[in-house]
Amino acid sequence: MLFNSWEYIVFLVVVTVAFFAMPMRWRVPFLLVASYYFYMQWDWKFAFLIGSVTWANWEAGRRIADTDSQRARKAWLWMALVISLGVLFFFKYFNFFNESFRAAFEAGGMTYMVPYLPIILPVGVSFFTFQALSYPIDVYRGDHGPERNLTRFATYVVFFPQLIAGPIERASTLLDQFKERHRFDIDRFGSGVQLIIWGLFKKVVIADRLGVYVDEIYAAPELYDGSTLLLATYFFAFQIYCDFSAYSDIAIGSARILGFNLSKNFALPYLATSIADFWRRWHISLTSWFRSYVYYPLGGNRVSTLAWMRNIWIVFVVSGVWHGAAWTFVIWGALHAAYYVVQWVWNKLVPTPANPSWWAVLLGMLVTFHAVVLAWVFFRAESISDAWLVVTTILTDTGAMPDLGPSRFTAAINIALIVFLMGIQVLQSRGWISLYFSPSRFPPAMRAAGSAMLVCGIALLGVSSSAFIYFQF
Amino acid sequence: MASTPIITRLKRPALLLLVAIFAFLAVDRAVGALLREGLDRYFGLDQLEAVLLVGHSHVVLGVDKNLLERELGLPVANYARAGAQLDDRILMARHYARLHPDGVRAIVFGVDNHLFTASGLSANSYSQFYPHMGDPLVGPMLRESAPGWDYRQRQISHLARYDDVLLNAAIRGWMGNWNNAVGGQFKPDVLAAEVASGDFRHISIDDTQVAQMEAFLDESEQKGWPVLLAFIPTTAQWQAVEPEKAAQVEALLRRLADAHANVTFIDLREPWQHREEFFIDPLHLNAEGSREVTADLSRKIAPLIPGAQDNTQ
């Protein structure tokens, strides 16, 4: 059941009406059932998997809280880590490592006996394992108390708006909301619907349109010149942003209608003026997860410069691997780590003034954007050799006009939509248009009319629904 | 403290909802009407007593409407849609005739080797008719062909009836732009590779399609519409892919023409099919090719169309 489908809209309406109509004590169990129903639309068998991960982390959290023995606490935490990461490893990474070992053995002239396993990747596995795992770690650290109610904890793990592709929540931000009494609030309903409409517009009008061109070019990059590959890569940068942020917007809007607050996941990332700034704006919930559970435990920046650099590399490479079991994602993460270090060196050499001029800000945005775009090549390409071909062709063969595909009219619409998106984002950054429920300078009637215009845009320019890119992670 | 009555609390949101619904309907209907007008102009559905061209992308790209109008001295309605199959073309001819019951001067009906091939051109060519779903001829066809929810969405929103092709056509209709602006160059080696791999649309003669065509030609004879079956050129290499089947189709077209007093078969393949520089791919003409073929077409059809100026000198 895709967010960008009528089935989801009907599902959300039914769940909302039923949720607010039923007595308080039934609401959380009802959300649990609804969320499992939502997940089982993909593959009912994986409900057992998500149930196992839920139980393991809940049990670990309870046991950690109930024992005074540091050894036992550590053992229970390890149990949760092994089960959660074991599930993630088996379903997502087994074949990647297996095939990598096979290649290495065969290169060395040795026989490798472990067969390839036809494993189906459960949708959203990276998201729900991380969300579940954060709970026993928080209990172990004393950042959150144990949740005695399994139903409540299970609902926290599978809460349908953010189950498949985040935002990745923590017990402290979401779990406790299941204890609150939620009342239907017409203002929250209105703002949630507006955010859902904006998300749908970004998905079906911008991301899916750009995806048609990007898929065509990246399917056979050897057939195209540098300017075409460059255009496809720019398009991909906006496609993945619109696709992923659309999912987050629809998730946050859906939860808001039901009375829940999810974390902000994107904050105008292509207006970032540095790589550090970009990572404060892009996939914020994942960045925050890695910061809390990987970067800080490694020592964060309270270590020597060399150790800090090591920490940065570890976090970004792990983040790359989290996205996908392929070397292209590893390079994507490593590139961002390299950018981070380069930026650190640059800041040492050229201290940033307190009030930089407008052109310095613009230059920072452009440099950051293009660094991110370069890394996206590795994220999107089918293989490292394809990515390398794209990069080298862009750098060496950019004389001709790009191949705009079968319709120049469609290409013109695509470019106009990117300009429109960036225009909206500039207005959001200036506070004219609301960004995640922040105040807007436009009156409510104008905002309602604006949402109606977006629906018109979806009707006229939307293309056939396709799955969200981040579902594969 | 007394709580605010629910009616008072809902007043503002209800007003905002009304504003949103009104804004949506106003823009949807207004822009929808503008697009529909542009589309009708593009297809020439507003043209009275026009020479009607129906066909698919061969005709869209292969006939220069402005040039044909100048050559014939008559209005031309280029009602051709990419992906239009035989039944779509017949529907288009009937649609124009329904709009202008006494105004069908002649129908130039685009034909090709795949005219009677039932599948492979377009699985959802019906979607190109959505803007005209209110028409008593088009509506029933759409209700039958389109998935139910697909159809109902477009009943609600007029803008949802357009895709990029139709939107482009509507805008071009307002701008009066019928130019063939498609670029590219035919690559014989690419076609040869596709033929070698068997990855091409095979010719077949489907009896149902033939019967449909016969019924349409009977109807046109009865109504007194001159029908010119125009074979817009494709490349010689494409013609040579399945020569026996192509010959069967040609024979069938000639037999249909012979069987109806109002029908003429116009073969435009020679000499243009050998001019590779006039094609963007094996099937479609470029702007220069379309001008040459249009001039040839006008010379051949002018004597057959009442009121057309003599341009054979």
Side-chain angles (χ1 to χ4, degrees):
Chain A
M1 192 190 304
L2 297 172
F3 274 180
N4 48 327
S5 68
W6 287 104
E7 288 84 358
Y8 178 73
I9 291 172
V10 171
F11 172 78
L12 182 61
V13 169
V14 169
V15 168
T16 302
V17 171
F19 179 77
F20 287 111
M22 65 178 52
M24 291 286 178
R25 67 177 185 282
W26 291 110
R27 289 185 177 178
V28 173
F30 170 71
L31 277 184
L32 179 64
V33 172
S35 297
Y36 265 91
Y37 171 80
F38 175 79
Y39 191 72
M40 287 160 73
Q41 297 304 302
W42 275 279
D43 194 332
W44 62 271
K45 293 188 287 292
F46 290 129
F48 295 103
L49 178 76
I50 205 168
S52 308
V53 170
T54 300
W55 180 83
N57 284 284
W58 177 74
E59 186 67 14
R62 203 171 61 86
R63 299 279 188 162
I64 289 167
D66 288 348
T67 179
D68 292 329
S69 157
Q70 183 56 22
R71 217 171 136 184
R73 285 161 56 82
K74 205 171 252 184
W76 282 111
L77 179 62
W78 271 105
M79 191 263 312
L81 285 166
V82 167
I83 290 178
S84 302
L85 298 179
V87 163
L88 190 58
F89 177 85
F90 177 75
F91 283 98
K92 192 161 180 176
Y93 302 108
F94 177 82
N95 278 327
F96 168 65
F97 284 107
N98 194 28
E99 294 308 301
S100 297
F101 281 130
R102 186 190 311 285
F105 271 67
E106 286 173 1
M110 291 177 278
T111 310
Y112 186 76
M113 302 295 283
V114 184
Y116 175 85
L117 298 182
I119 299 168
I120 299 170
L121 183 66
V123 66
V125 65
S126 306
F127 289 91
F128 67 72
T129 50
F130 268 38
Q131 179 153 320
L133 189 54
S134 70
Y135 164 75
I137 301 175
D138 283 353
V139 174
Y140 179 82
R141 289 172 171 179
D143 293 341
H144 197 275
E147 173 55 65
R148 304 287 174 188
N149 186 319
L150 178 58
T151 305
R152 198 178 291 137
F153 180 75
T155 312
Y156 155 75
V157 175
V158 297
F159 187 42
F160 72 87
Q162 41 86 245
L163 169 61
I164 306 298
I168 301 169
E169 295 292 344
R170 319 272 188 87
S172 56
T173 57
L174 181 61
L175 181 54
D176 295 340
Q177 291 187 52
F178 292 106
K179 296 174 186 166
E180 295 167 8
R181 294 167 71 86
H182 299 278
R183 293 185 189 284
F184 182 74
D185 181 324
I186 194 74
D187 290 330
R188 288 181 64 95
F189 176 81
S191 54
V193 168
Q194 285 183 1
L195 190 60
I196 289 173
I197 291 172
W198 176 233
L200 282 173
F201 183 87
K202 282 194 287 185
K203 170 64 179 163
V204 302
V205 176
I206 305 180
D208 287 352
R209 277 181 160 273
L210 297 176
V212 173
Y213 181 82
V214 173
D215 290 350
E216 177 86 22
I217 305 300
Y218 267 82
E222 68 280 4
L223 298 180
Y224 298 95
D225 59 19
S227 52
T228 305
L229 291 170
L230 182 62
L231 183 67
T233 307
Y234 279 137
F235 276 11
F236 178 67
F238 288 99
Q239 181 202 353
I240 192 161
Y241 167 65
C242 287
D243 191 281
F244 191 19
S245 68
Y247 184 93
S248 291
D249 288 353
I250 298 170
I252 293 167
S254 302
R256 189 171 177 85
I257 288 171
L258 291 165
F260 295 86
N261 296 316
L262 297 184
S263 307
K264 185 166 75 172
N265 220 13
F266 292 88
L268 317 176
Y270 290 152
L271 298 183
T273 53
S274 67
I275 283 297
D277 189 23
F278 175 80
W279 281 104
R280 284 190 290 271
R281 295 161 175 263
W282 180 274
H283 204 173
I284 298 166
S285 64
L286 181 71
T287 309
S288 161
W289 200 99
F290 276 119
R291 192 189 308 121
S292 295
Y293 302 117
V294 180
Y295 181 66
Y296 288 160
L298 288 169
N301 60 359
R302 294 180 178 179
V303 288
S304 68
T305 303
L306 272 179
W308 170 76
M309 285 185 184
R310 177 207 63 196
N311 295 346
I312 290 291
W313 279 87
I314 289 172
V315 167
F316 276 107
V317 169
V318 170
S319 167
V321 173
W322 177 89
H323 279 87
W327 290 106
T328 46
F329 291 110
V330 175
I331 293 179
W332 173 78
L335 267 175
H336 275 279
Y339 295 158
Y340 221 95
V341 172
V342 168
Q343 186 197 328
W344 179 81
V345 173
W346 174 264
N347 288 345
K348 288 278 174 202
L349 296 172
V350 187
T352 311
N355 290 308
S357 59
W358 67 267
W359 62 264
V361 171
L362 185 63
L363 186 66
M365 280 182 195
L366 286 173
V367 170
T368 305
F369 175 72
H370 283 89
V372 170
V373 166
L374 173 65
W376 285 137
V377 172
F378 290 87
F379 197 94
R380 177 60 184 81
E382 303 291 337
S383 64
I384 292 175
S385 57
D386 270 8
W388 187 244
L389 176 76
V390 171
V391 172
T392 52
T393 311
I394 286 174
L395 294 175
T396 57
D397 180 22
T398 45
M401 280 290 291
D403 177 349
L404 297 175
S407 166
R408 276 182 263 184
F409 180 73
T410 297
I413 291 178
N414 290 347
I415 291 166
L417 285 169
I418 290 173
V419 172
F420 172 74
L421 172 78
M422 292 313 290
I424 294 287
Q425 301 224 324
V426 168
L427 290 175
Q428 285 179 316
S429 71
R430 298 291 173 93
W432 279 89
I433 295 178
S434 170
L435 176 65
Y436 291 117
F437 321 117
S438 64
S440 160
R441 292 195 204 176
F442 291 107
M446 206 179 264
R447 293 205 300 269
S451 292
M453 295 307 98
L454 290 176
V455 175
C456 287
I458 291 168
L460 181 62
L461 300 171
V463 297
S464 300
S465 299
S466 54
F468 288 81
I469 294 175
Y470 262 69
F471 279 20
Q472 64 188 292
F473 308 137
Chain B
M1 197 174 71
S3 63
T4 321
I6 190 158
I7 297 292
T8 312
R9 275 191 287 138
L10 288 178
K11 203 169 150 189
R12 190 172 142 271
L15 275 174
L16 289 176
L17 182 65
L18 279 177
V19 167
I21 292 172
F22 176 78
F24 170 75
L25 287 176
V27 171
D28 184 76
R29 296 313 191 252
V31 177
L34 280 173
L35 292 176
R36 171 66 192 275
E37 174 63 25
L39 195 65
D40 286 354
R41 290 185 186 198
Y42 181 77
F43 286 142
L45 296 180
D46 59 340
Q47 298 270 25
L48 272 172
E49 299 201 359
V51 174
L52 175 66
L53 300 174
V54 292
H56 65 117
S57 52
H58 287 180
V59 177
V60 175
L61 298 173
V63 180
D64 184 324
K65 167 193 152 73
N66 292 330
L67 178 61
L68 191 61
E69 284 184 333
R70 282 199 303 276
E71 295 281 319
L72 296 176
L74 293 171
V76 169
N78 192 354
Y79 194 13
R81 302 169 189 263
Q85 317 211 48
L86 174 62
D87 48 353
D88 299 323
R89 292 176 222 181
I90 291 172
L91 179 64
M92 290 191 285
R94 287 179 177 148
H95 183 204
Y96 180 88
R98 198 198 66 72
L99 294 172
H100 308 291
D102 302 317
V104 183
R105 191 182 289 271
I107 299 171
V108 178
F109 198 105
V111 298
D112 56 82
N113 289 337
H114 294 85
L115 184 69
F116 304 109
T117 308
S119 60
L121 183 58
S122 171
N124 61 346
S125 59
Y126 62 81
S127 65
Q128 293 294 297
F129 289 89
Y130 272 131
H132 296 103
M133 67 192 297
D135 185 271
L137 276 179
V138 175
M141 179 279 287
L142 280 170
R143 252 197 307 277
E144 198 176 295
S145 310
W149 180 235
D150 226 38
Y151 180 81
R152 274 188 284 283
Q153 280 180 70
R154 283 153 182 89
Q155 280 185 310
I156 297 166
S157 169
H158 291 195
L159 291 178
R161 299 173 183 181
Y162 292 81
D163 60 11
D164 281 9
V165 173
L166 292 167
L167 181 60
N168 189 13
I171 293 169
R172 293 178 82 173
W174 276 106
M175 294 168 68
N177 178 1
W178 285 271
N179 295 338
N180 174 348
V182 178
Q185 177 59 51
F186 167 53
K187 295 185 176 77
D189 49 336
V190 173
L191 174 63
E194 285 172 0
V195 171
S197 67
D199 180 22
F200 62 93
R201 190 179 176 217
H202 294 271
I203 301 171
S204 66
I205 298 177
D206 182 274
D207 290 343
T208 317
Q209 302 275 305
V210 177
Q212 265 188 312
M213 189 66 179
E214 279 179 324
F216 171 68
L217 295 180
D218 291 346
E219 178 189 346
S220 66
E221 190 171 24
Q222 194 188 351
K223 292 185 174 167
W225 304 331
V227 176
L228 312 168
L229 303 177
F231 203 122
I232 306 296
T234 56
T235 56
Q237 290 92 327
W238 180 245
Q239 289 295 325
V241 171
E242 294 177 297
E244 295 84 11
K245 287 183 185 170
Q248 285 172 16
V249 172
E250 184 184 333
L252 181 52
L253 288 169
R254 290 189 186 279
R255 183 177 67 72
L256 287 170
D258 292 344
H260 297 85
N262 62 320
V263 180
T264 312
F265 178 63
I266 311 282
D267 193 347
L268 295 161
R269 282 174 289 187
E270 293 295 348
W272 313 113
Q273 64 175 346
H274 303 289
R275 302 287 296 272
E276 287 180 13
E277 72 277 17
F278 284 165
F279 289 88
I280 56 168
D281 59 29
L283 304 169
H284 300 102
L285 289 157
N286 61 20
E288 196 186 350
S290 122
R291 280 192 292 274
E292 295 288 349
V293 168
T294 302
D296 190 17
L297 173 69
S298 78
R299 278 192 296 274
K300 287 176 174 159
I301 66 174
L304 305 166
I305 299 176
Q309 68 192 14
D310 185 4
N311 57 6
T312 52
Q313 287 82 17

